[in-house]
Amino acid sequence: MASSTRLEHLSGSNSATRTATVVDPVCGMSVEPAQAAGVIDHNGKTYYFCSQHCVQKFRADPERYLTAFAPQIVQVGSSPQATATGRAHSECCSAGGDQVAGSVAPPGANIEYICPMHPDVVSDRPGPCPKCGMALEPKSVTLDDAPNPELVDMARRFWIGLILGLPVFAIAMADMLPGHPLHTFAGPLNLLQLVLSSVVVGWCGGPFFVRGWNSIRNASPNMFTLIALGVGAAYLYSVAATVAPELFPAGFRGHGGAVMPYFDTAVTVTLLILLGQVLELKARGRTAAAIKALLKVAPKTARRVGSDGTEEDVSIEGIRSGDLLRVRPGEKLPADGIVIEGRSAVDESMISGEPLPVENEPGSQVVAGTINGTGSLLVRAEKVGSETLLARIVSMVVEAQRSRAPLERIVDRVARVFVPSVVFVSLLTLTIWSLWGSEPKLAHGVVNAVAVLIVACPCALGLATPMAVMVGIGRGAEAGVLFKSAAALEVLQQADTLIVDKTGTLTEGRPELMTLEPAEGFAGHELLRLAASLERASEHPLAAAIIKGASDRKLSLATASDFRSISGKGVTGTIDGRSVALGNLALMADLQLDVANWRARIDELQGAGQTVMLLAVDGRLVGLVGVADRIKDSTHEAIRLLHREGLRIIMLTGDNRRTAEAVARQLGIDDVIAGVLPDQKRDVVRRLQDEGRVVAMAGDGVNDAPALAQANVGIAMGSGTDVALESAGVTLVKGDLRGIARARTLSRATVGNIRQNLFLAFVYNTASVPIAAGILYPFFGILISPIWASAAMSLSSLSVVGNALRLRSAKL
């Protein structure tokens, strides 16, 4: 909904005659009645919905939404000062096909703005959040370097206020000089302060009063409620003291019977809060640095190769799937695709976080945004634009940064009672000082009550969690670790059990030819040539490994005739006039061939995790072929790092137990559960959770998706399927298990940072409120003026933001 619109409660369907749109009571999105996805009549009123998911939620419990979010309308031509609230459309509509993805705004797109503390508040333009009053931020990240309009406005108000406020401050300080040299001109000077202060407080500080009023009108008290009350009280008191001092009783009069105005307090507090807003907006802008760094990775143009071999430079938007692209040395890859021609080392560090270049050759997968080395590559584009891995990473990171961590529940509970409690303490301070304070009692009461209101602003408390989450998730993206939500970021560091799939997670996910042993008097190359020639007609995954082995050795394959595939046993056929069979022991038994001399070697290879196939030619065993899914080079180190993290590691695989145990022995994995189906994997996760364990699950295939979704936190290998990526809370871009250790380190650092921020905010408010109320005065004669209170309040917010920004340099 637009922040420039005026909201009115909808009294019924007839009330909408002057409206352009109505508001979905479930999610708060603007809906044109004629284009609504659903309509429900309830208690004589008509309600319109943006999606069928919202319709279902409303139908299930209408009172919940009518109580929590009264239906509203958006009227054309309304006041630019009002703001609108709304639940995030992506949150309420995520169950269906209605969710609108996209975290990277294309040029000329309408950008939505969102509150960093309340992601459910969405607007179509910048402005203040109606819940907390903070400046809304763009929901989408762009490379547009145009300054933040909110920052520009606040900076302008600060500098104008500073110029006009300095004379006010100077006049107040002059009154403290010995002999009171300006006392003779007190009347005119007070009027000058009144004029200048009215501009500073009324115009420069105007947004604070608008936000404070909106917070009261929306029944959502926040930091600007306290600022408006505090600054407003000091200013109005000073105006009355200047215009009508005779109305004040003795309790307000100081030495000589004069009523002292506090224009300097109102002006200085306004300027300090403006300065705090400027510094905070600048610091918050830095949280998008990681996303902008990723966006800058994408090239602007590509060199397309036509069907006739001609080459032309085209914009990145002009690339289509299937295009052939020439990538010259030093250029960035413009799309995800497959290398067709050429060899080169590609720097993938901006995507994966890994510093070493990756060697690419024909058949290798390449990723948009990575940097080609010294060779020239011809690449066939497969995924372009928003479908590329880079675009998906940016989208995931931005969405995750806007999510809320479970720790924020603490802040929510505190916020409900915090502001009303501060107002009560402020009134109590005014009462106590007015009755038992030092002279002038009432004047001291007003000043200390204002100090309480100012110093207790809960901005630091609200920023504690979202700032750390935004920076932490951005830092993870730089290291090739993508968190889908703040909840995943928080939960990962609590995990005590890690379940890992074998194929594609611990291993490369593609079988390779490992062993080739011919019988005495038979050539090894002939053994492989015959096996590969026979398997060329097969679609079995192991066949590809044998064929690739022959291709790597540049063997010339023959054509098999009379080919027959025997399920679960192997294949047979005729090659060069000879009868050839390739398969397991069961096939050899069917052919009545004696394998006794090979039994020990077969057991040895199977114990090492290899799948063994025997080759028979014209009724004679001539050798064996061993194929295995190679363990990733990084897996040994990853298991060591994860054990050091205190995790119990369980291999969960659909493979046979003997092969799985062979891999587990090599890696030192704690437990093996083999031969399980996809739904059984989920049951294993659930059983561990019932035992009280916090389970993390790492996998890469469609069969892992149910278990990934069931786990406390699912971890998808980036080289895996889309289903696995969508089911998981964490994605490792390069599919390297060492990334889990990095992710846990980041999770622990971020949660620690959140706790530090909450501690700083809680301790600050707990200590500052009684001090501002004057609790130290009876013992030490110390009073905190509203000026110092406002400075302390701004510094507390900046300390929280600054502490969160430390995560950008976290070592992973």
Side-chain angles (χ1 to χ4, degrees):
M1 288 188 299
S3 62
S4 64
T5 58
R6 179 166 56 88
L7 301 180
E8 298 176 357
H9 289 285
L10 184 64
S11 58
S13 60
N14 294 333
S15 301
T17 55
R18 295 183 299 113
T19 65
T21 59
V22 295
V23 172
D24 184 327
V26 175
C27 68
M29 294 295 295
S30 299
V31 180
E32 293 185 13
Q35 299 179 0
V39 180
I40 292 180
D41 290 322
H42 179 75
N43 290 341
K45 300 176 185 177
T46 301
Y47 301 94
Y48 299 86
F49 301 88
C50 67
S51 69
Q52 283 298 318
H53 187 59
C54 286
V55 172
Q56 295 168 10
K57 294 179 74 172
F58 183 85
R59 184 176 287 125
D61 188 4
E63 297 307 319
R64 170 189 172 189
Y65 298 103
L66 295 181
T67 302
F69 192 97
Q72 299 168 317
I73 65 171
V74 181
Q75 183 168 335
V76 178
S78 51
S79 168
Q81 294 296 335
T83 56
T85 63
R87 293 181 178 84
H89 184 65
S90 60
E91 178 182 347
C92 77
C93 300
S94 59
D98 304 330
Q99 180 171 356
V100 180
S103 301
V104 186
N110 293 324
I111 300 176
E112 287 186 327
Y113 293 82
I114 192 169
C115 175
M117 287 167 54
H118 300 92
D120 55 329
V121 175
V122 181
S123 171
D124 68 351
R125 66 192 66 196
C129 169
K131 289 187 176 181
C132 65
M134 292 185 62
L136 301 178
E137 299 176 340
K139 186 177 181 180
S140 303
V141 179
T142 70
L143 285 176
D144 184 8
D145 292 327
N148 181 346
E150 186 80 10
L151 175 59
V152 171
D153 181 57
M154 287 294 176
R156 180 172 58 247
R157 292 175 188 272
F158 169 74
W159 289 113
I160 292 176
L162 181 64
I163 294 171
L164 299 178
L166 283 176
V168 177
F169 188 77
I171 292 170
M173 293 300 100
D175 198 48
M176 299 180 184
L177 296 175
H180 304 288
L182 301 181
H183 186 70
T184 306
F185 308 100
L189 289 177
N190 283 346
L191 289 175
L192 177 61
Q193 288 188 85
L194 171 59
V195 173
L196 295 176
S197 300
S198 297
V199 178
V200 175
V201 174
W203 182 78
C204 298
F208 305 146
F209 291 99
V210 172
R211 297 176 188 186
W213 168 247
N214 286 336
S215 70
I216 296 172
R217 188 183 63 178
N218 295 329
S220 180
N222 54 52
M223 60 174 286
F224 292 102
T225 312
L226 303 182
I227 291 173
L229 288 174
V231 175
Y235 173 74
L236 293 176
Y237 172 87
S238 301
V239 171
T242 301
V243 176
E246 67 279 359
L247 299 178
F248 287 79
F252 286 96
R253 300 181 182 276
H255 299 292
V259 180
M260 180 182 296
Y262 291 98
F263 285 120
D264 59 317
T265 296
V267 166
T268 306
V269 168
T270 300
L271 291 175
L272 286 172
I273 295 172
L274 281 168
L275 178 60
Q277 289 286 296
V278 170
L279 296 176
E280 182 185 304
L281 285 167
K282 284 185 176 181
R284 281 165 52 189
R286 293 170 60 191
T287 60
I291 307 301
K292 290 195 174 186
L294 287 173
L295 286 175
K296 290 177 181 177
V297 168
K300 300 295 185 293
T301 61
R303 191 164 186 83
R304 184 166 57 194
V305 180
S307 57
D308 58 355
T310 58
E311 300 182 4
E312 62 172 340
D313 290 328
V314 297
S315 68
I316 203 73
E317 292 81 9
I319 301 176
R320 297 292 178 266
S321 179
D323 284 352
L324 291 180
L325 308 173
R326 174 72 63 189
V327 185
R328 292 166 293 192
E331 291 184 337
K332 293 180 179 179
L333 275 295
D336 293 359
I338 296 178
V339 176
I340 303 300
E341 177 186 295
R343 284 178 168 80
S344 181
V346 177
D347 180 0
E348 299 183 352
S349 59
M350 287 300 293
I351 296 292
S352 66
E354 296 296 333
L356 296 178
V358 178
E359 290 293 334
N360 282 267
E361 57 187 18
S364 298
Q365 296 276 347
V366 290
V367 179
T370 54
I371 303 174
N372 186 25
T374 56
S376 176
L377 296 175
L378 183 64
V379 176
R380 183 175 67 241
E382 290 193 325
K383 294 183 179 180
V384 299
S386 62
E387 297 178 351
T388 64
L389 176 62
L390 175 62
R392 292 174 63 194
I393 287 174
V394 174
S395 180
M396 287 177 63
V397 172
V398 174
E399 289 300 319
Q401 286 184 331
R402 303 308 184 195
S403 60
R404 306 194 73 188
L407 273 174
E408 288 193 75
R409 289 192 297 264
I410 300 173
V411 179
D412 290 340
R413 288 195 295 268
V414 172
R416 292 190 190 101
V417 298
F418 185 80
V419 173
S421 299
V422 170
V423 173
F424 172 76
V425 172
S426 179
L427 294 174
L428 184 63
T429 300
L430 174 62
T431 302
I432 292 175
W433 273 94
S434 299
L435 295 176
W436 297 291
S438 60
E439 296 294 343
K441 296 180 180 180
L442 291 174
H444 275 132
V446 169
V447 172
N448 290 329
V450 168
V452 169
L453 292 173
I454 298 297
V455 80
C457 288
C459 182
L461 192 62
L463 285 171
T465 301
M467 287 298 103
V469 167
M470 290 181 71
V471 179
I473 288 175
R475 177 67 184 92
E478 293 175 343
V481 178
L482 308 180
F483 288 93
K484 194 172 183 180
S485 68
L489 179 66
E490 182 176 327
V491 172
L492 182 59
Q493 54 90 32
Q494 301 170 356
D496 54 27
T497 301
L498 173 64
I499 296 177
V500 291
D501 176 49
K502 179 180 75 70
T503 306
T505 302
L506 299 174
T507 65
E508 295 287 354
R510 53 182 184 274
E512 293 184 14
L513 179 64
M514 306 293 290
T515 304
L516 188 67
E517 294 187 4
E520 185 176 351
F522 201 86
H525 65 85
E526 181 64 9
L527 170 68
L528 180 57
R529 187 185 76 86
L530 291 172
S533 297
L534 188 59
E535 287 284 27
R536 190 160 61 169
S538 172
E539 296 181 353
H540 195 280
L542 298 180
I546 296 174
I547 295 169
K548 185 177 186 302
S551 175
D552 291 343
R553 292 165 174 79
K554 296 181 171 51
L555 299 179
S556 178
L557 303 184
T559 301
S561 59
D562 302 325
F563 176 83
R564 188 163 67 99
S565 175
I566 304 172
S567 179
K569 296 182 180 181
V571 292
T572 64
T574 301
I575 300 176
D576 297 335
R578 292 186 288 180
S579 176
V580 181
L582 178 69
N584 56 22
L585 291 173
L587 179 62
M588 297 302 113
D590 289 347
L591 297 175
Q592 298 180 349
L593 296 176
D594 184 11
V595 296
N597 294 335
W598 298 88
R599 177 71 67 174
R601 182 55 175 158
I602 291 171
D603 290 342
E604 180 184 351
L605 293 175
Q606 287 180 339
Q610 294 189 35
T611 298
V612 178
M613 290 166 283
L614 298 156
L615 183 72
V617 178
D618 293 333
R620 170 180 169 243
L621 278 175
V622 297
L624 60 81
V625 177
V627 175
D629 189 1
R630 186 189 299 275
I631 295 173
K632 293 179 181 178
D633 294 338
S634 61
T635 301
H636 288 86
E637 181 185 0
I639 297 298
R640 179 180 60 80
L641 292 173
L642 293 169
H643 273 141
R644 194 172 68 185
E645 288 278 334
L647 287 168
R648 176 191 175 196
I649 303 176
I650 300 174
M651 181 198 295
L652 189 61
T653 178
D655 208 343
N656 67 78
R657 172 166 289 278
R658 191 167 187 178
T659 302
E661 287 181 342
V663 173
R665 279 196 303 272
Q666 295 180 56
L667 295 173
I669 288 175
D670 301 309
D671 199 1
V672 176
I673 303 175
V676 292
L677 299 174
D679 57 339
Q680 293 173 328
K681 289 186 177 184
R682 181 181 58 194
D683 293 340
V684 170
V685 173
R686 188 182 293 119
R687 185 174 70 246
L688 290 168
Q689 290 172 327
D690 292 340
E691 294 173 2
R693 292 188 170 276
V694 180
V695 180
M697 165 78 186
D700 73 328
V702 173
N703 63 332
D704 298 320
L708 290 172
Q710 175 65 37
N712 297 87
V713 56
I715 304 170
M717 315 307 284
S719 54
T721 65
D722 290 345
V723 175
L725 298 180
E726 292 300 322
S727 302
V730 182
T731 298
L732 307 181
V733 174
K734 287 299 291 182
D736 185 342
L737 275 179
R738 289 175 297 185
I740 298 179
R742 290 200 296 268
R744 272 187 54 104
T745 300
L746 179 61
S747 173
R748 193 163 44 244
T750 303
V751 172
N753 192 279
I754 291 172
R755 288 175 176 154
Q756 293 166 8
N757 287 345
L758 290 174
F759 176 80
L760 287 171
F762 277 126
V763 168
Y764 165 80
N765 282 294
T766 301
S768 61
V769 170
I771 292 175
I775 196 172
L776 298 180
Y777 186 77
F779 308 102
F780 305 105
I782 296 175
L783 287 177
I784 303 297
S785 74
I787 293 174
W788 289 109
S790 63
M793 182 271 292
S794 297
L795 287 174
S796 70
S797 300
L798 291 173
S799 67
V800 164
V801 174
N803 189 51
L805 289 174
R806 288 193 308 111
L807 286 171
R808 292 178 62 188
S809 58
K811 293 183 178 180
L812 305 181

